[in-house]
Amino acid sequence: MYDFGTIYEAKGIPDAITALMADENAVVLCGGSDVLLRVREGRLAGRNLVSIRSIDDLSGILQENNETIQIRPATTFAQITQNELVQRCIPTLGEAVDQIGGPQLRNVATVGGNLCNGACSADSPPVLLTLNAELEITGPNGARRLLLEDFFEGPGKVNLEHGELLTAIRVAKKDYEGYFGHYIKFSQREAMDIATLGCAVQVKLGAEGKTIEDARLAFAVAAPVPMRCHAAEESIRGQAVGETLYDWFGRTALTEVRPRTSWRASETFRRQLIYELSGRALKAAIQKAKGEGSA
């Protein structure tokens, strides 16, 4: 049973903002895979919905004049995975979202919803964090930009005021050119399950592929919000590629994370995953950078 009020189909971004501002209890609806679930469970019972699904300016992936990749928030996971620009420039994102749910979900669920729900277990945030993604947020007072890392404020809470919409996700050329990444999702089941832990790495190798020029590490479910591990990243910059690197990377990451015990896994188990997956994802990213495939 879906107990909601009205559904208003917004005709454009300004129209959606106006509709939201006219009703302080209105909820944005796009793919609906999460919002409609919360309506059915009663958490959003009786609320009016403002649908943004048909707004053309909120869908699609393009490359701007400066070669920044712009991903619009109503783009579905399936569209991201299949997109040629994603496959060529930021393939790790396509690989990560292709692990979310099943084909039916991936054809309706959107990347914007995955970010705006603020779930620590979401699969797209770790990869986008390692790409230094920047968000464009538009509201009644105009547009503002902020880094994705500054978007997550707490469990289920993001830096988004009522009446504001996420209108673009951007990845600059300097943050993807020359980088190779890998994402590992650990879950209790092989398919159709949320992450017990998610680990994303991006790496850029130095001359002849023997040293780490730059590295980025981010997690899902390693803290109350998706997070970067800056100390671990800094600890291996300039270091020689080798087996000892993976152990050090994982150990340093453990000093930054804040996992908790839940019914899915204990804090101790999640810490072990953080240590293991950090090294494995880094090794796989390095192998991709060297043209050796993934681990």
Side-chain angles (χ1 to χ4, degrees):
M1 178 67 181
Y2 292 94
D3 176 17
F4 57 86
T6 62
I7 298 181
Y8 177 72
E9 192 76 34
K11 301 171 183 63
I13 294 172
D15 187 42
I17 292 170
T18 299
L20 289 168
M21 294 302 293
D23 182 355
E24 64 180 13
N25 292 316
V27 177
V28 175
L29 176 70
C30 193
S33 58
D34 182 74
V35 168
L36 292 179
L37 178 63
R38 286 187 284 166
V39 169
R40 189 177 66 183
E41 292 174 344
R43 288 181 285 168
L44 296 177
R47 305 278 282 274
N48 294 326
L49 306 177
V50 176
S51 174
I52 61 172
R53 187 58 185 257
S54 299
I55 299 176
D56 290 339
D57 289 343
L58 293 180
S59 295
I61 301 170
L62 57 92
Q63 196 163 31
E64 298 176 353
N65 290 338
N66 60 0
E67 297 187 62
T68 290
I69 296 172
Q70 181 189 139
I71 304 169
R72 293 172 176 170
T75 308
T76 67
F77 298 140
Q79 290 170 333
I80 289 173
T81 300
Q82 296 162 10
N83 183 266
E84 183 274 335
L85 192 58
V86 170
Q87 293 173 357
R88 177 163 49 87
C89 299
I90 49 174
T92 315
L93 179 61
E95 293 163 5
V97 300
D98 202 41
Q99 299 179 51
I100 299 174
Q104 298 94 333
L105 177 66
R106 293 193 294 272
N107 276 292
V108 296
T110 65
V111 65
N114 206 226
L115 299 180
C116 292
N117 290 336
C120 72
S121 58
D123 290 289
S124 66
V127 176
L128 288 168
L129 283 169
T130 63
L131 292 167
N132 286 332
E134 181 185 68
L135 306 183
E136 176 188 278
I137 294 170
T138 306
N141 298 318
R144 60 188 176 97
R145 293 192 179 190
L146 76 163
L147 288 175
L148 177 60
E149 193 170 4
D150 299 325
F151 186 60
F152 303 110
E153 297 184 335
K157 182 173 175 56
V158 296
N159 188 338
L160 197 67
E161 299 297 329
H162 184 74
E164 290 188 320
L165 297 173
L166 173 62
T167 47
I169 305 156
R170 289 184 171 89
V171 178
K173 181 180 180 181
K174 65 180 178 60
D175 289 314
Y176 68 79
E177 188 175 51
Y179 285 87
F180 293 83
H182 193 71
Y183 178 72
I184 301 176
K185 174 178 181 175
F186 183 94
S187 56
Q188 297 299 323
R189 295 180 298 174
E190 290 188 2
M192 306 285 286
D193 200 3
I194 69 171
T196 303
L197 193 90
C199 175
V201 167
Q202 295 286 335
V203 67
K204 178 187 280 189
L205 298 184
E208 300 180 0
K210 294 182 179 180
T211 59
I212 303 293
E213 181 178 325
D214 192 22
R216 301 175 191 152
L217 171 66
F219 288 105
V221 210
V225 297
M227 65 168 295
R228 281 275 293 270
C229 287
H230 292 286
E233 296 170 1
E234 182 62 32
S235 73
I236 66 168
R237 290 192 182 107
Q239 299 298 311
V241 172
E243 290 298 323
T244 58
L245 194 70
Y246 312 130
D247 173 75
W248 179 255
F249 196 50
R251 291 186 185 279
T252 309
L254 286 174
T255 67
E256 302 180 81
V257 295
R258 293 174 292 144
R260 66 181 180 88
T261 294
S262 72
W263 68 270
R264 288 183 177 275
S266 67
E267 176 188 348
T268 301
F269 182 57
R270 283 197 168 101
R271 284 189 165 274
Q272 183 64 27
L273 287 175
I274 288 162
Y275 167 74
E276 293 286 349
L277 299 189
S278 297
R280 292 184 190 182
L282 176 61
K283 184 175 184 179
I286 290 171
Q287 288 178 329
K288 289 179 180 179
K290 291 183 173 184
E292 299 172 0
S294 61

